Amino acid sequence: MKLAFIRSAYGSLRVHPARPGSRLSGLSRRCLPPVGATDSRVILRTVSATSSSGTRPKLTVDFRKQDYLFLLNSLYHQICMRFSQCACFVPKAGEDDDVLQINKKMAGKIGLNVTHICLTKGCSEDEIVEELLKLNDDPRVHGVFLHLPSTSLTSRVLNALKPEKDVDGVTDLNMGRLVRGDLSKGFVPPIASAVLDLLEKHDAPLEGKTVLLVGGEGPLCLALQCLTERSGMVALKSHWNSNVLQRQVMQADAMVLLDGANVDVPPSWIRPGAAIICYEHTFGLSSKSGLGYLTAAYRTHNVVRSCSRWLKEQQYQPWHLHSLKLQPLTPVPSDIEISRAQTPKPVTQLAEEIGLLPEELEAYGRNKAKVRLSLLDRLHSQPDGKYVLVAGITPTPLGEGKSTVTIGLVQAMSAHLKHNSFACLRQPSQGPTFGVKGGAAGGGYAQVIPMEEFNLHLTGDIHAITAANNLVAAAIDARMLHEATQSDKALFNRLVPSVNGVRRFSPIQISRLRRLGIFKTDPAALSMQEISTFVRLDLDPSKITWQRVVDTNDRFLRKITVGQASTEKGQIRETGFDIAVASEIMAILALADSLEDMKNRLARMVVGTSRSGQPVTAEDLGVSGALAVLMKDAIKPTLMQTLEGSPVFVHAGPFANIAHGNSSVLADKLALKLVGRDGFVVTEAGFGADIGMEKFFNIKCRASGLRPNVVVLVATVRALKMHGGGPNVSAGAPLPREYIDENLSLVAGGCRSNLKKQIQIAHLFGVPVVVALNVFKTDTQAEIDLVCQIAKECGASDAVPCHHWAQGGRGSVELAKAVDEAANRPSNFQFLYNTEMPIVEKIRTIARKVYGADDVELSPEAKSKIDYYNQQGYGSLPICMAKTHLSLSHMPEKKGAPTGFVLPIRDVRASVGAGFIYPLVGTMSTMPGLPTRPCFYDIDLDPVTEEITGLF
């Protein structure tokens, strides 16, 4: 806990200490500054009756030092811990004064740390504001005392200070709270509290009595008027030059002189027994002044209150979520029309509703914001909520609506059942957005809004990944060029240059030396052999695995030739581009659980192999620190909202075939803390349960340490008919009649094959399953009832039809209830395999238990790679199967639940930084192409309104 003083380097003013028996005269008039800018001296006297002889009445001091000591003692017991020492900016010798010394003394008695910031005498308003803004952002500072001349305390200066740190109560907001009587967040000016305290301790009770406030205009006068009236006294105001001053003084039971004046107030004016408090504005203060000590005590009390409020804010805050009303239309309009018809809450309002602190939010415009990872530290002791995974049966090429189910479920839980609920979604690639599939914000009345922002650049995470990925690619080619054209000595001189006559290794170079077994830190101490080993990565051009990326479907970049310019001196090689979300950096972003973990994973990325067969990493290239810099903002999840105002984290979007296809670990962890013990976090796995769900359990849950409570398995009548023997479904082509007309036999066939198998896969991990039937308008009631019946027969805890697309959250209330019930049942989560098993056995386990294969068949290249990975120590990594999502097998045309096949493993690769090995089952494309008529034909911008059309 820390109190900061800001003062300017002025000289101390002369002090006139009060003498017992002196008259209240000879006080020089000074302009009253805002409260808290100065302190004052006190003269508190009880006036007895005037004697018949006309002699001056005896005046006695009525303040006891024990009063503030008692207050300090009570404050001390409010402090439960001492905080670390802080820096102190000390003014020049002789320029400190009694005011600050008294406040420091008070602060020291209860363990407050004090930072004393001394500004120059002629400091500008901008300089003061700059210091205040720094203190506002410092979480260690809980109170700021502005000990400045009144001329420096402008409205801009006062209101630059955060009201929650304004322990002198001088900001407009805190003064307004005082006037309104709302002190739950504000502060009472310490000098006003001290004066009121003295009045209340007067020998004669003052309740119902009259208090005269003489002189002064500003916060102190206003604060005293409010406090005295609220204490049951009558407050009157007067000025020194008032014609009725004598009459008012003679009628007052107490008098507070707010600033000095050359005015003679004869004792005969003062009624017997009246209390008199004299406040003289002075920057100097006698150490014997009681009001000064008491004011400092109340200021310290305000700091304690500020710290207590801060500590309370750091604890988990109950939600106060305001849901947005939906008015679904029939027929359902286009997705973008629905999105545009709803006005989202400001993201700052949403953040406050779900218990985020302002300092934990980084707004990107009105509708979206990054959330800082410091939230995890603040809520580290908060129990997690319930963890729900949305997966699906093997989909058609059209997709079955897992995202809409996820959003509809969260809307139902939060807006209709009033459970704290959070959706965690992947960020969509712009490739599909402008290609065939379109956006991924959900659809109908179950969307993330604004859907244009969601589907396009969002907060730039994918662009950051693209920049980081391509920096690695550039570093690879540049390093091979320089090694091919320079001697060891020339390389060493350029890699470790002499700066001002001194040659030093950078930290990342020292790390490389240690990995090479060279424990020297002086460049001059390396032998020629050590220099050669250090500077030569000796990458084998034919074994470079790293490719460039771009977030566009561009089939002509699948294979390219680089280095053809004459300046590249014959360093020509074939390479290619992947789509940005296929980058290993995207997978790392999704699996990292902290900034440090992400940095370490980036360093471990293997980009190729040397000619001697050793892996070459991003850290060997010297680029991993720069990658962390490029990714430092991308690691923070993006907060958005649904159509009904439910919170959504959008973060990461790795491919679901060559990577694990899940949103980020960090988004899930943040959301689980925010929803509280009884809340729900709903996240989605890519493709069917055999791919996305299996990788969620075996890869993501291993990395995160989180355990799901329930799986929601999304099915559609359309996909079930396909698996039951229906004709092929193709994107862009009209659906055959079998998918439009009722056909119970096809539905039953799909349920008893693919749906049953996917339920069994979830049960392999010991997690209960609720089937969510995403209802389309062509589905008949008989088909819906049949799916729900067979799903339960196959082991689902429940099966519920969902109408969120047409009705929003209301259409998924029954699903939400079923999930709530299933999540409260005991589960027995377990992994499918032990990572210490041999790589081949882990592959075989997945093939047999998940896909239904009889066995696996490895190509010679795959066997060779497995031997190499075992030799390099990668054998204990989990497996991420790269397989078609259109079938449980490796054959896209085989629907239902194929059996009796052998799964061919063409190749095996490793994403060492991400932390998994991915066997290739068949040919996998990591760069999609554009169709004959891409989505971009329909996307346009109105130059007048700036509205986007054509997104879906």
Side-chain angles (χ1 to χ4, degrees):
M1 185 160 46
K2 184 190 288 186
L3 173 64
F5 294 94
I6 296 184
R7 73 186 294 269
S8 59
Y10 46 76
S12 296
L13 299 181
R14 189 163 56 91
V15 180
H16 302 279
R19 296 186 304 274
S22 65
R23 302 178 64 194
L24 303 181
S25 61
L27 304 178
S28 60
R29 177 180 296 276
R30 295 186 180 94
C31 178
L32 178 67
V35 179
T38 68
D39 223 308
S40 58
R41 67 185 174 96
V42 62
I43 305 172
L44 177 61
R45 294 184 174 90
T46 301
V47 183
S48 61
T50 305
S51 66
S52 58
S53 63
T55 58
R56 191 179 306 278
K58 184 178 181 181
L59 304 178
T60 57
V61 177
D62 191 41
F63 175 77
R64 292 181 300 276
K65 201 170 184 181
Q66 288 80 0
D67 290 333
Y68 79 84
L69 290 176
F70 175 80
L71 176 60
L72 281 177
N73 187 55
S74 65
L75 288 176
Y76 180 82
H77 290 291
Q78 295 183 45
I79 306 296
C80 60
M81 67 183 74
R82 286 183 179 268
F83 292 76
S84 60
Q85 294 299 314
C86 64
C88 183
F89 297 86
V90 183
K92 295 178 181 179
E95 290 183 346
D96 205 354
D97 56 30
D98 288 350
V99 173
L100 297 183
Q101 291 300 336
I102 289 173
N103 280 273
K104 288 180 181 180
K105 183 178 180 180
M106 293 291 170
K109 284 183 177 290
I110 61 169
L112 287 180
N113 294 312
V114 176
T115 295
H116 186 176
I117 301 172
C118 186
L119 304 177
T120 60
K121 183 176 181 180
C123 63
S124 67
E125 184 182 75
D126 288 341
E127 290 174 307
I128 299 173
V129 169
E130 182 181 354
E131 291 294 339
L132 286 175
L133 294 178
K134 291 177 184 177
L135 295 171
N136 286 346
D137 293 337
D138 189 342
R140 301 168 300 171
V141 174
H142 299 99
V144 178
F145 171 31
L146 299 176
H147 188 59
L148 298 169
S150 58
T151 53
S152 297
L153 290 165
T154 64
S155 177
R156 180 185 171 214
V157 167
L158 293 178
N159 292 301
L161 176 60
K162 274 188 176 180
E164 55 266 33
K165 297 188 180 185
D166 169 30
V167 292
D168 268 37
V170 296
T171 60
D172 290 348
L173 181 58
N174 278 335
M175 192 55 63
R177 286 167 172 162
L178 175 63
V179 172
R180 193 175 59 191
D182 177 16
L183 297 179
S184 60
K185 293 183 178 179
F187 297 101
V188 176
I191 181 64
S193 295
V195 170
L196 188 67
D197 186 271
L198 293 177
L199 289 173
E200 290 176 342
K201 286 181 172 61
H202 185 55
D203 289 341
L206 289 175
E207 185 174 354
K209 302 296 180 63
T210 301
V211 176
L212 179 62
L213 308 177
V214 182
E217 292 291 340
L220 176 59
C221 185
L222 181 60
L224 280 172
Q225 183 178 357
C226 292
L227 292 173
T228 52
E229 290 178 349
R230 204 165 290 140
S231 298
M233 296 176 255
V234 177
L236 298 177
K237 292 178 60 178
S238 183
H239 296 286
W240 291 105
N241 57 1
S242 172
N243 296 326
V244 296
L245 178 62
Q246 180 180 356
R247 178 170 56 83
Q248 290 177 320
V249 171
M250 296 180 72
Q251 294 175 350
D253 299 293
M255 182 168 61
V256 180
L257 308 179
L258 293 177
D259 59 3
N262 293 315
V263 176
D264 190 3
V265 180
S268 60
W269 289 13
I270 304 170
R271 63 188 297 176
I276 306 172
I277 299 175
C278 179
Y279 169 92
E280 182 184 358
H281 163 212
T282 172
F283 288 101
L285 181 64
S286 170
S287 61
K288 298 179 181 179
S289 171
L291 186 59
Y293 279 105
L294 193 56
T295 300
Y298 273 109
R299 182 173 292 114
T300 305
H301 175 63
N302 282 351
V303 178
V304 173
R305 291 182 63 201
S306 174
C307 182
S308 299
R309 291 171 183 171
W310 179 82
L311 288 172
K312 187 176 180 180
E313 287 177 352
Q314 300 308 301
Q315 299 170 4
Y316 178 78
Q317 301 297 315
W319 283 25
H320 302 283
L321 189 67
H322 167 67
S323 298
L324 302 177
K325 299 297 182 183
L326 272 187
Q327 294 180 332
L329 302 177
T330 304
V332 176
S334 69
D335 290 350
I336 197 166
E337 288 174 322
I338 293 172
S339 173
R340 193 165 289 148
Q342 184 70 290
T343 301
K345 295 176 286 190
V347 72
T348 51
Q349 177 187 334
L350 174 64
E352 183 179 1
E353 291 175 353
I354 62 175
L356 284 166
L357 303 181
E359 57 266 27
E360 292 169 340
L361 208 66
E362 296 177 3
Y364 281 63
R366 181 184 184 276
N367 301 314
K368 55 188 182 290
K370 288 284 192 181
V371 174
R372 294 179 179 173
L373 305 187
S374 58
L375 172 66
L376 288 175
D377 295 327
R378 178 169 68 88
L379 298 181
H380 71 278
S381 61
Q382 169 68 21
D384 289 344
K386 296 178 176 64
Y387 200 21
V388 180
L389 174 67
V390 175
I393 65 171
T394 304
T396 68
L398 306 177
E400 310 316 309
K402 293 192 302 298
S403 296
T404 58
V405 170
T406 300
I407 298 164
L409 174 57
V410 169
Q411 289 182 169
M413 284 185 159
S414 59
H416 300 275
L417 299 186
K418 305 305 178 184
H419 294 317
N420 292 354
S421 303
F422 228 114
C424 291
L425 300 177
R426 292 173 292 167
Q427 181 182 353
S429 165
Q430 289 180 184
T433 299
F434 293 102
V436 176
K437 185 176 178 291
Y445 288 99
Q447 291 189 55
V448 178
I449 57 172
M451 64 95 74
E452 306 100 303
E453 296 183 28
F454 177 91
N455 284 318
L456 296 176
H457 306 283
L458 199 62
T459 48
D461 293 356
I462 293 181
H463 299 312
I465 290 166
T466 301
N469 185 100
N470 293 344
L471 179 61
V472 176
I476 291 169
D477 287 319
R479 186 58 174 265
M480 289 196 299
L481 169 67
H482 295 311
E483 287 188 20
T485 57
Q486 297 181 50
S487 65
D488 291 348
K489 182 178 180 180
L491 276 172
F492 188 72
N493 288 338
R494 287 178 171 85
L495 288 172
V496 192
S498 176
V499 179
N500 296 326
V502 179
R503 194 188 299 273
R504 290 191 181 95
F505 291 120
S506 66
I508 201 168
Q509 289 175 327
I510 291 175
S511 295
R512 171 164 167 77
L513 286 168
R514 289 173 179 170
R515 289 196 307 277
L516 294 172
I518 303 171
F519 299 95
K520 298 176 181 178
T521 57
D522 182 4
L526 266 63
S527 67
M528 291 307 298
Q529 181 58 48
E530 289 171 335
I531 287 175
S532 179
T533 304
F534 169 70
V535 301
R536 297 285 173 187
L537 299 181
D538 200 24
L539 274 161
D540 185 341
S542 66
K543 294 184 179 179
I544 293 172
T545 56
W546 197 265
Q547 300 207 120
R548 290 169 172 82
V549 299
V550 64
D551 197 31
T552 303
N553 289 0
D554 192 345
R555 66 177 71 246
F556 283 88
L557 293 178
R558 290 170 178 166
K559 182 174 284 189
I560 62 170
T561 303
V562 296
Q564 296 189 81
S566 59
T567 52
E568 275 53 80
K569 303 178 181 179
Q571 298 298 308
I572 298 173
R573 67 180 184 92
E574 281 192 351
T575 182
F577 273 76
D578 297 328
I579 196 162
V581 293
S583 170
E584 184 177 352
I585 296 177
M586 174 63 88
I588 287 173
L589 177 66
L591 289 171
D593 65 3
S594 67
L595 186 59
E596 182 180 8
D597 183 35
M598 182 183 72
K599 183 178 177 181
N600 292 335
R601 288 173 180 267
L602 291 169
R604 292 197 302 265
M605 293 188 305
V606 175
V607 302
T609 305
S610 70
R611 288 184 172 88
S612 62
Q614 295 302 308
V616 177
T617 67
E619 190 170 31
D620 290 325
L621 284 168
V623 75
S624 56
L627 301 182
V629 170
L630 287 171
M631 295 293 295
K632 70 178 181 66
D633 292 319
I635 198 172
K636 304 166 192 171
T638 299
L639 177 66
M640 295 188 75
Q641 63 192 283
T642 71
L643 280 166
E644 296 190 56
S646 307
V648 179
F649 273 142
V650 185
H651 200 215
F655 252 29
N657 44 25
I658 67 167
H660 61 293
N662 296 181
S663 63
S664 77
V665 165
L666 281 169
D668 292 356
K669 285 190 170 185
L670 291 170
L672 285 165
K673 294 298 182 185
L674 284 169
V675 297
R677 185 193 302 272
D678 299 321
F680 292 84
V681 172
V682 185
T683 190
E684 175 195 351
F687 295 149
D690 57 305
I691 297 181
M693 184 184 73
E694 181 270 317
K695 295 174 181 179
F696 174 88
F697 291 145
N698 282 322
I699 298 176
K700 185 176 180 180
C701 288
R702 288 184 200 271
S704 68
L706 302 174
R707 301 294 180 263
N709 297 94
V710 61
V711 167
V712 174
L713 190 65
V714 178
T716 61
V717 168
R718 177 180 67 195
L720 291 170
K721 285 181 176 179
M722 179 187 72
H723 291 297
N728 288 335
V729 176
S730 301
L735 283 173
R737 294 299 307 174
E738 289 86 346
Y739 296 99
I740 299 172
D741 299 334
E742 182 177 287
N743 192 317
L744 297 179
S745 63
L746 289 179
V747 171
C751 287
R752 292 193 171 94
S753 58
N754 196 271
L755 177 61
K756 179 180 179 180
K757 178 63 176 175
Q758 302 286 16
I759 293 173
Q760 290 173 344
I761 295 170
H763 286 165
L764 289 172
F765 298 91
V767 183
V769 178
V770 173
V771 171
L773 181 63
N774 191 13
V775 176
F776 291 0
K777 60 183 179 181
T778 55
D779 300 345
T780 67
Q781 191 60 47
E783 291 173 331
I784 293 170
D785 292 342
L786 183 60
V787 173
C788 294
Q789 174 193 332
I790 297 177
K792 295 174 186 178
E793 293 172 357
C794 293
S797 300
D798 206 345
V800 183
C802 304
H803 303 273
H804 46 269
W805 183 80
Q807 301 175 17
R810 190 173 301 280
S812 286
V813 168
E814 293 306 313
L815 173 63
K817 291 178 179 178
V819 169
D820 190 359
E821 183 179 350
N824 284 294
R825 294 177 182 174
S827 61
N828 184 30
F829 178 79
Q830 59 186 4
F831 294 115
L832 187 64
Y833 55 79
N834 188 317
T835 55
E836 297 305 318
M837 292 169 56
I839 293 175
V840 175
E841 289 306 311
K842 287 183 282 192
I843 296 171
R844 183 174 285 114
T845 299
I846 296 172
R848 286 178 172 174
K849 293 187 177 182
V850 177
Y851 306 151
D854 286 346
D855 203 352
V856 296
E857 182 179 17
L858 277 67
S859 69
E861 183 177 5
K863 292 179 181 178
S864 175
K865 288 285 189 69
I866 289 174
D867 291 340
Y868 174 74
Y869 294 144
N870 284 328
Q871 178 188 350
Q872 295 300 325
Y874 306 148
S876 61
L877 294 177
I879 302 299
C880 182
M881 300 291 283
K883 180 187 76 70
T884 178
H885 64 287
L886 298 175
S887 173
L888 281 163
S889 73
H890 60 288
M891 300 166 282
E893 69 279 3
K894 298 292 183 180
K895 306 302 181 182
T899 57
F901 63 93
V902 174
L903 191 73
I905 307 299
R906 178 177 62 86
D907 195 4
V908 178
R909 297 177 185 170
S911 290
V912 179
F916 53 74
I917 291 190
Y918 62 100
L920 299 178
V921 182
T923 302
M924 302 300 304
S925 174
T926 54
M927 171 55 81
L930 291 172
T932 303
R933 192 183 190 282
C935 298
F936 61 63
Y937 274 87
D938 302 311
I939 297 173
D940 203 355
L941 178 71
D942 187 317
V944 177
T945 65
E946 297 186 7
E947 287 190 346
I948 298 170
T949 58
L951 279 177
F952 70 96

